[in-house]
Amino acid sequence: MKQNRKKRLFIKTYGCQMNVYDSARMADVLAPLGYAPADSPRGADMVILNTCHIREKASEKVFSELGRLRAFKEERRAAGGEMVLAVAGCVAQAEGDEILRRAPQVDLVFGPQTYHRLPEMVVRAARAGGHLDIDFPVESKFDHLPEESADPGAAAFLSIQEGCDKFCSFCVVPYTRGAEFSRPVAAVLAEARRLAAAGAQEITLLGQNVNAYHGEAADGGTWGLGRLLRAVAEIEGVTRLRYTTSHPRDMDDALIAAHGEDPKVMPYLHLPVQSGSDRVLAAMNRQHSADDYLRIVDRLRLARPDIALSSDFIVGFPGETDADFAATLRLVTEVGYAQAYSFKYSPRPGTPAAVEADQVPEEVKTERLAALQQLLGAQAMAFNRACVGKTLPVLLERPGRKAGQLVGRSPYMQSVHVPVSSVGQGRLTGALLDVAIEGATANSLSGRLVMAEDLIAEDRRASKAVAAAVDSLAEGPAQAPASARISA
């Protein structure tokens, strides 16, 4: 019986971890239609750009990529095939009509709340082309998604909350992701159990305002993120928990207590502040002051003294003065960050800040960003250097760029590079092991495994067995003793 050819699917993901999660679920939705992952867009049967609207010139980057993909689509058509070209995510939600107008080669445009309807969209696009779906459906997409099909690896993302009700004046998320929505507790725990059963030791709970989570429980009550973290921590196989991205307004007592009382909640928190100036924070509609933020930091450090913090900063927000920027530098100095992300303000169409008259000159933004990044970079370097000489538990996730190297994450989200033997590389991927930290750069750590003596001996025995087998095979199959044979 003739087997149908597997169709090839290539998804390019821009932006946040939420988009990484969404891309994986799109692949799950399309798998029943015969789509399997492709390594390249060239020759693929379907290409999806899963876009993000946060970064500067996000839409122009999408149109540039669509121009390149148009050539691939024409190549495929010339060879007698077809390529379905789709744009998903936040740029699609915000600029769907414009995408179809400027890029007629695009077959599908759909927002982040509608990808569960992908099979239906593909059929409609095949009939008519140019299908647009940027609704905010009444039903939750999570109610219609299949179970995860891909191997999650040692560390996995789990989306628990979407949307935003904060309406910061610079941000498009409330317009592209919609109102805040929290998945029911039972659905989150069921997915977490599946991820753990498939081998995920570390789970990161995701949301645009993840600590605003208010999921309905089986008894009709509502759980916050603190209680949810404790429940996920009880799942067999889960050894580490993280969550992102948080808003200072939603750091409640239960969540802070979870940091101090549950060792599976990692001592690392990304807590964006954006500015250290109360005047700018008010203009941003952040609904907290710099002092509010600093008091939260104090409470977190009281609960978990070893916690490391990262944050987001915007420089050059409309109306920002030298005094406002100096306040940001003072806040950074007072908090001390292990990592941070900093950007020049750039207007987002449709947001209140985009129409403010008092825009900061570009050269001033550039100078301020350089000064802020110099301070943040020095703090990150100091934090990493302070780890040298310590032994940290590291979840080894993947091979490194160098041969005989694995890369993992410390509890503080640092990348850690560890040399291992060729035999140990495959065997240790996915393991949570102690690493003696011996070196630090601004962006990563390096170290050596602190392994039990029997594990070291086992590794050496395996290496010797491989060497003996290779020597024997070089002499000919007939010469290889039974003790040195390798089974596949």
Side-chain angles (χ1 to χ4, degrees):
M1 182 177 178
K2 186 177 179 180
Q3 297 290 323
N4 291 330
R5 181 184 68 86
K6 277 283 187 183
K7 289 178 279 190
R8 291 164 293 178
L9 169 67
F10 180 83
I11 304 178
K12 181 170 183 176
T13 306
Y14 300 79
C16 66
Q17 294 97 329
M18 183 74 80
N19 270 11
V20 174
Y21 176 89
D22 284 347
S23 291
R25 302 316 313 274
M26 289 180 204
D28 292 337
V29 169
L30 291 168
L33 299 186
Y35 286 95
D39 295 326
S40 166
R42 176 167 265 159
D45 297 275
M46 185 172 185
V47 175
I48 301 174
L49 302 183
N50 191 12
T51 62
C52 174
H53 215 311
I54 298 299
R55 301 292 179 257
E56 187 176 6
K57 298 180 180 177
S59 59
E60 290 309 308
K61 291 176 183 176
V62 171
F63 285 116
S64 175
E65 183 69 13
L66 287 173
R68 186 173 75 95
L69 292 172
R70 180 175 186 170
F72 292 167
K73 184 167 183 171
E74 290 172 353
E75 279 181 13
R76 182 139 176 80
R77 184 167 292 166
E82 288 294 335
M83 173 193 287
V84 177
L85 183 53
V87 181
C90 291
V91 173
Q93 185 71 42
E95 304 185 40
D97 290 321
E98 181 71 1
I99 291 170
L100 290 178
R101 185 186 70 79
R102 287 182 55 182
Q105 70 271 28
V106 173
D107 301 292
L108 296 174
V109 178
F110 55 96
Q113 304 304 335
T114 61
Y115 63 74
H116 61 290
R117 302 200 290 227
L118 256 173
E120 177 186 347
M121 292 185 219
V122 171
V123 172
R124 288 187 179 182
R127 292 173 181 167
H131 181 69
L132 176 68
D133 191 344
I134 53 174
D135 293 338
F136 288 105
V138 174
E139 77 278 6
S140 165
K141 67 186 179 187
F142 296 106
D143 294 338
H144 301 275
L145 295 175
E147 291 189 5
E148 311 77 25
S149 59
D151 177 2
F157 295 133
L158 198 172
S159 181
I160 67 168
Q161 182 272 344
E162 278 202 283
C164 181
D165 295 342
K166 302 296 190 292
F167 287 92
C168 296
S169 63
F170 56 83
C171 185
V172 298
V173 167
Y175 312 103
T176 58
R177 289 275 182 173
E180 288 180 358
F181 164 79
S182 297
R183 296 177 67 186
V185 170
V188 172
L189 295 180
E191 185 168 341
R193 291 187 191 99
R194 292 194 298 268
L195 291 171
Q201 292 190 56
E202 177 178 297
I203 295 178
T204 301
L205 305 181
L206 300 178
Q208 267 78 42
N209 274 320
V210 68
N211 56 338
Y213 177 81
H214 51 278
E216 182 180 351
D219 62 2
T222 300
W223 286 20
L225 181 59
R227 186 170 180 183
L228 182 69
L229 282 168
R230 293 176 189 267
V232 177
E234 293 175 358
I235 295 173
E236 184 178 357
V238 174
T239 59
R240 288 179 157 192
L241 283 173
R242 304 184 190 274
Y243 60 93
T244 194
T245 291
S246 304
H247 194 287
R249 282 183 56 203
D250 297 311
M251 289 300 304
D252 61 24
D253 293 342
L255 182 54
I256 292 173
H259 276 278
E261 296 169 6
D262 197 316
K264 291 185 180 180
V265 179
M266 289 294 95
Y268 174 88
L269 176 62
H270 183 66
L271 189 63
V273 65
Q274 307 301 355
S275 174
S277 162
D278 286 347
R279 198 181 68 82
V280 172
L281 289 170
M284 289 178 166
N285 194 36
R286 290 289 291 173
Q287 303 174 53
H288 65 80
S289 67
D291 189 59
D292 292 335
Y293 184 88
L294 292 171
R295 280 187 278 121
I296 292 167
V297 170
D298 288 343
R299 290 169 61 203
L300 284 163
R301 286 178 167 159
L302 183 63
R304 185 73 189 258
D306 66 333
I307 197 167
L309 296 170
S310 71
S311 195
D312 291 342
F313 294 91
I314 295 173
V315 302
F317 188 80
E320 183 188 65
T321 65
D322 288 342
D324 293 325
F325 179 63
T328 296
L329 296 180
R330 285 196 300 273
L331 182 141
V332 170
T333 301
E334 184 167 351
V335 173
Y337 290 99
Q339 296 181 38
Y341 304 91
S342 52
F343 311 95
K344 293 187 288 186
Y345 169 77
S346 59
R348 292 292 175 268
T351 60
V355 296
E356 290 290 332
D358 197 9
Q359 299 289 328
V360 176
E362 195 64 28
E363 61 272 18
V364 175
K365 294 182 194 177
T366 300
E367 290 173 4
R368 290 176 183 170
L369 183 64
L372 176 61
Q373 289 184 339
Q374 183 177 20
L375 176 57
L376 291 169
Q379 289 185 344
M381 187 74 247
F383 183 82
N384 285 354
R385 283 177 175 164
C387 293
V388 175
K390 296 181 179 180
T391 296
L392 300 177
V394 175
L395 182 60
L396 300 171
E397 298 179 39
R398 64 186 189 279
R401 293 182 180 179
K402 297 179 181 178
Q405 184 186 70
L406 287 176
V407 180
R409 293 280 180 183
S410 77
Y412 307 108
M413 277 296 284
Q414 300 140 308
S415 292
V416 184
H417 300 264
V418 181
V420 296
S421 72
S422 57
V423 173
Q425 189 169 31
R427 192 159 54 93
L428 298 178
T429 300
L432 179 62
L433 297 172
D434 285 341
V435 174
I437 305 302
E438 298 177 327
T441 69
N443 300 311
S444 66
L445 303 175
S446 58
R448 58 178 175 79
L449 292 177
V450 180
M451 301 168 72
E453 289 302 318
D454 57 344
L455 190 55
I456 295 173
E458 181 184 346
D459 196 41
R460 287 173 178 165
R461 285 195 299 272
S463 297
K464 289 179 180 178
V466 170
V470 170
D471 290 343
S472 298
L473 290 172
E475 297 172 5
Q479 303 297 319
S483 61
R485 289 177 192 149
I486 306 174
S487 59

